[in-house]
Amino acid sequence: SAPPLLEDTVDVVLKSSDGVDFRVHKMFLAIASTAFESTFLLPSNPQGETESTLPSVSLVEIAEVIALILAYIYPIKRPSRPSLALLKGALRAAHKYDMQPVLSGLRPHLLHQDFLRYDPIGVYGIASTLGFKEEARVVYESSLKL
């Protein structure tokens, strides 16, 4: 959700697939994502909307993935390195929603030495699926050294 300082100005709710609501700002989402920018350009019907009936967008991602993505959109302290499973979900969502700032922030985590050491095949799969050629090359070369 939005940082407490900005809570009074939220104007949309993101709904996770596991039932968590994130009260956020269209502006932040639109700046970070061309997909959301396009969504918010569509006409809306603000008449009758109240604080309790903010427009909402249902997402297929779980709350943990959405929270990680929002940490890279809002100017807040970012969490420490996520698990590989969470990183995979966030990278896939950021790719799907064309969130270049989020991708730029999360991609370096993919090459963390623990991931390369303990799950190079998983990292390679993520990198190749998302078209991260440089990361896939690094994983391939590092796996030759094991």
Side-chain angles (χ1 to χ4, degrees):
S1 284
L5 193 62
L6 301 173
E7 183 64 30
D8 290 342
T9 60
V10 299
D11 55 0
V12 67
V13 176
L14 296 181
K15 296 182 169 289
S16 71
S17 63
D18 53 351
V20 177
D21 290 350
F22 293 88
R23 296 167 40 87
V24 295
H25 300 86
K26 290 178 183 178
M27 179 185 69
F28 282 95
L29 294 172
I31 289 169
S33 164
T34 58
F36 280 112
E37 179 184 32
S38 298
T39 299
F40 297 142
L41 285 177
L42 298 173
S44 64
N45 182 12
Q47 294 178 333
E49 285 182 2
T50 64
E51 173 132 351
S52 63
T53 61
L54 289 173
S56 65
V57 177
S58 294
L59 303 176
V60 298
E61 289 76 25
I62 62 171
E64 203 174 13
V65 167
I66 296 170
L68 182 58
I69 286 172
L70 291 175
Y72 282 85
I73 292 174
Y74 277 95
I76 57 175
K77 185 177 188 292
R78 295 191 172 141
S80 60
R81 180 178 46 89
S83 69
L84 188 57
L86 179 57
L87 180 60
K88 176 183 178 181
L91 284 168
R92 289 177 67 179
H95 188 264
K96 175 172 71 173
Y97 299 120
D98 193 21
M99 298 176 147
Q100 294 307 314
V102 177
L103 288 169
S104 296
L106 289 174
R107 279 177 77 165
H109 291 294
L110 199 54
L111 296 179
H112 190 275
Q113 62 184 350
D114 288 346
F115 296 154
L116 294 176
R117 184 179 311 125
Y118 298 114
D119 194 359
I121 294 172
V123 174
Y124 185 81
I126 295 167
S128 60
T129 298
L130 296 175
F132 299 164
K133 293 178 182 174
E134 179 61 20
E135 288 84 349
R137 183 191 60 75
V138 170
V139 175
Y140 173 75
E141 290 175 359
S142 72
S143 68
L144 295 176
K145 298 174 187 174
L146 294 178

